[in-house]
Amino acid sequence: MDRLVKPDVKEVELNFKRDQKCTTTFRLSNLMHTMSVAVSLTTTNPSLFSFSQPFSIIPPLSSASYSLFLSQPSDQPPLPLSTPHDVINVKTSMLPTGKAHQDDLRRLFARPGPHVFKDATIPIAFVGPHVVEFLISQQTRISEFDSFFNKAISGCSVSDLTALLKSAIASGNANLVSDLIDAGAVVNQRNSDSGSLLSLGVGAGNVEIVKVLIASGCGIGNNSADMVLREAAATNRVDLIEILCKSFAGIDLNWVDPEGRTPIHVAAAHGHVETLKFCISVGGNAEVSDCEGWSPLHCAAEKGHLEAAKCLLDCSNVKYAVTRDGRTAFDIAAANGHSGLLGVLRYDDVLHRAARLDDAHGLKSCLAEGADVNGRDQNGWTPLHRAAFKGRIECVKVLLNHDAQVDVGDDAGYTPLHCAVEAGHVQVALLLVAHGARANVKSLEGVMPINLDRFKNHPALVQPLCHGKERA
């Protein structure tokens, strides 16, 4: 006979509960038909575990139950980080008399010899939600993590697994999320404090976790749809927003939160230009106002995000929109000390006005305040276009001295030189040519030639323009 007793399990599972006494039971059966068997139970870690009956007697063809205790309550499961798993060692000896005192049994197993059988080795496994939660928090430190984790989740209920999904998502490990879902965790169970699990996944910023959740049927939920998009917009995760838009047909980038703000408001407040461009390109409205009348441009202005403000100015018409308390984006930027935005929010307009009115002093003041010398109006005109068209030669000189671009084209491809020539301002045209302006300039609409026939009476202008055409 290979052994005298047989355990009823291949592994003893101990459901660990934080700071509580933990115990589990198992059974041993005597395989002998006519003889009692003495049993000795020990573990590889006697300071950690104890038994209800370390020594016992099992009658012929009978069974006995044994309890394994975790000796001291603990706030974390005592998992071995590198050594083999703890095990129960079962030793047996035939007992012809069928009777013996505890001291007799202790002496029996203390004396080595052929009368003692090493009958079974039973691994001890810690299971339950507290074990899983600990493993998730320590996943990078435990060498046998996978084996511990897979065993631990086997001792969890569906509600346990579902609750543990939050910790797994926060850990950023998509494999753990997938394992919990495969074991039975419910992905669409929500509560009031955190919204949908998909919202948590987006908040964690992990694309793989978001994909796992979506593939497992996790919905976006009407109550948390705006939260999901806001999370992605706040972290500039265009990839996550794109996945959400592709995965959920009804998603709307104009959804608002309780304050009336859209994901575009959020992206603007964080200065995330990439997210702004993407949201607007797929139907997001850059001109919507929140409950206080703030547009996304107001949000960008409050935080001083120059590039975000420029992006919004290019695709919206809210430069002079006012909040409920009557403030423009310029007012908000100025109140918060963001002088770098004042040019694009107002001073550029003042610059255009000064160029139109031949106010060279005003031009210099605006440029000193930070106005963009090449700032464009709604038609793509720069201040140099306007000064050239009006023949304001002193303003043209100021602008050229401040590095204004001489060959920049407007939305139709016209350069400042085109404007000066078309308006018949010879001296301005000569000044522009002297600063490198070309007669023929390629634009998005092709080459924009200057018609010289109407300037036959201005030989001083025609000759340099012809030279300019040759150079072009």
Side-chain angles (χ1 to χ4, degrees), residues 2 12 46 65 79 87 89 93 103 106 131 152-153 157 170 177 218 254 257 264 275 278 322 361 369 393 465:
D2 293 334
V12 169
S65 294
L79 300 174
V87 298
N89 294 310
S93 181
D103 290 340
R106 187 176 291 107
V131 181
I153 63 176
S157 66
V177 176
C218 186
N254 295 311
D257 64 11
I264 295 180
T275 297
F278 177 80
V322 295
H361 177 73
E369 291 286 352
I393 193 164
L465 289 179

Side-chain angles (χ1 to χ4, degrees), residues 158-233:
V158 170
S159 60
D160 291 335
L161 294 169
T162 302
L164 288 164
L165 272 176
K166 295 179 185 178
S167 297
I169 290 170
S171 77
N173 191 323
N175 291 329
L176 301 187
V177 176
S178 182
D179 288 343
L180 290 172
I181 293 172
D182 290 343
V186 179
V187 296
N188 282 315
Q189 183 170 316
R190 292 184 294 275
N191 54 53
S192 58
D193 66 327
S194 61
S196 72
L197 290 175
L198 196 57
S199 176
L200 296 178
V202 171
N206 190 299
V207 172
E208 293 306 314
I209 286 179
V210 170
K211 288 180 178 179
V212 166
L213 291 171
I214 292 174
S216 301
C218 186
I220 197 169
N222 292 332
N223 295 330
S224 61
D226 60 290
M227 185 188 302
V228 174
L229 293 172
R230 290 202 313 272
E231 289 280 4

Side-chain angles (χ1 to χ4, degrees), residues 47-384:
S47 64
L48 189 61
F49 302 101
S50 60
F51 294 96
S52 57
Q53 302 178 69
F55 300 100
S56 63
I57 299 172
I58 306 177
L61 295 180
S62 297
S63 298
S65 294
Y66 299 88
S67 295
L68 173 71
F69 298 95
L70 190 62
S71 298
Q72 296 294 331
S74 173
D75 63 346
Q76 62 186 43
L79 300 174
L81 299 181
S82 58
T83 57
H85 295 213
D86 290 315
V87 298
I88 298 171
N89 294 310
V90 181
K91 295 181 180 180
T92 60
S93 181
M94 289 184 286
L95 195 64
T97 63
K99 296 180 180 180
H101 295 291
Q102 288 291 305
D103 290 340
D104 296 330
L105 294 177
R106 187 176 291 107
R107 284 192 292 269
L108 174 67
F109 288 105
R111 187 176 72 252
H115 63 287
V116 176
F117 295 84
K118 294 181 179 179
D119 222 340
T121 299
I122 311 173
I124 302 171
F126 288 97
V127 301
H130 290 181
V131 181
V132 176
E133 192 169 29
F134 172 76
L135 287 168
I136 290 173
S137 69
Q138 302 289 322
Q139 57 184 294
T140 59
R141 298 180 54 199
I142 299 176
S143 58
E144 294 187 50
F145 176 84
D146 289 340
S147 62
F148 283 125
F149 186 81
N150 292 330
K151 176 53 64 176
I153 63 176
S154 68
C156 297
S157 66
V158 170
S159 60
D160 291 335
L161 294 169
T162 302
L164 288 164
L165 272 176
K166 295 179 185 178
S167 297
I169 290 170
S171 77
N173 191 323
N175 291 329
L176 301 187
V177 176
S178 182
D179 288 343
L180 290 172
I181 293 172
D182 290 343
V186 179
V187 296
N188 282 315
Q189 183 170 316
R190 292 184 294 275
N191 54 53
S192 58
D193 66 327
S194 61
S196 72
L197 290 175
L198 196 57
S199 176
L200 296 178
V202 171
N206 190 299
V207 172
E208 293 306 314
I209 286 179
V210 170
K211 288 180 178 179
V212 166
L213 291 171
I214 292 174
S216 301
C218 186
I220 197 169
N222 292 332
N223 295 330
S224 61
D226 60 290
M227 185 188 302
V228 174
L229 293 172
R230 290 202 313 272
E231 289 280 4
T235 52
N236 203 27
R237 294 302 298 271
V238 174
D239 52 348
L240 292 175
I241 298 176
E242 190 169 10
I243 289 172
L244 292 170
C245 289
K246 289 180 178 178
S247 301
F248 300 99
I251 203 167
D252 187 350
L253 286 167
N254 295 311
W255 273 330
V256 297
D257 64 11
E259 296 178 346
R261 295 198 169 189
T262 68
I264 295 180
H265 282 91
V266 175
H270 286 81
H272 297 324
V273 177
E274 296 84 356
T275 297
L276 286 174
K277 290 180 178 178
F278 177 80
C279 290
I280 294 167
S281 72
V282 294
N285 185 356
E287 299 184 358
V288 67
S289 296
D290 67 10
C291 298
E292 296 299 321
W294 283 50
S295 70
L297 182 61
H298 288 97
C299 298
E302 181 189 34
K303 301 299 183 181
H305 299 306
L306 177 60
E307 294 306 316
K310 287 181 177 179
C311 174
L312 291 165
L313 288 169
D314 286 343
C315 61
S316 66
N317 189 30
V318 294
K319 191 172 189 177
Y320 302 107
V322 295
T323 61
R324 290 182 64 181
D325 56 2
R327 294 186 294 167
T328 64
F330 176 90
D331 297 328
I332 291 172
N336 285 277
H338 301 309
S339 59
L341 272 72
L342 302 184
V344 296
L345 293 176
R346 179 184 290 175
Y347 287 142
D348 289 355
D349 295 343
V350 178
L351 195 68
H352 278 264
R353 183 173 182 274
R356 186 177 76 251
L357 299 178
D358 201 21
D359 182 3
H361 177 73
L363 279 180
K364 293 177 182 177
S365 296
C366 289
L367 291 169
E369 291 286 352
D372 184 358
V373 71
N374 295 307
R376 296 170 177 267
D377 65 9
Q378 67 273 19
N379 298 311
W381 273 28
T382 66
L384 189 57

Side-chain angles (χ1 to χ4, degrees), residues 441-458:
V441 177
K442 291 183 178 180
S443 71
L444 294 176
E445 299 182 7
V447 176
M448 302 295 295
I450 294 177
N451 183 4
L452 299 179
D453 293 339
R454 57 183 297 188
F455 299 103
K456 292 178 181 178
N457 296 328
H458 300 284

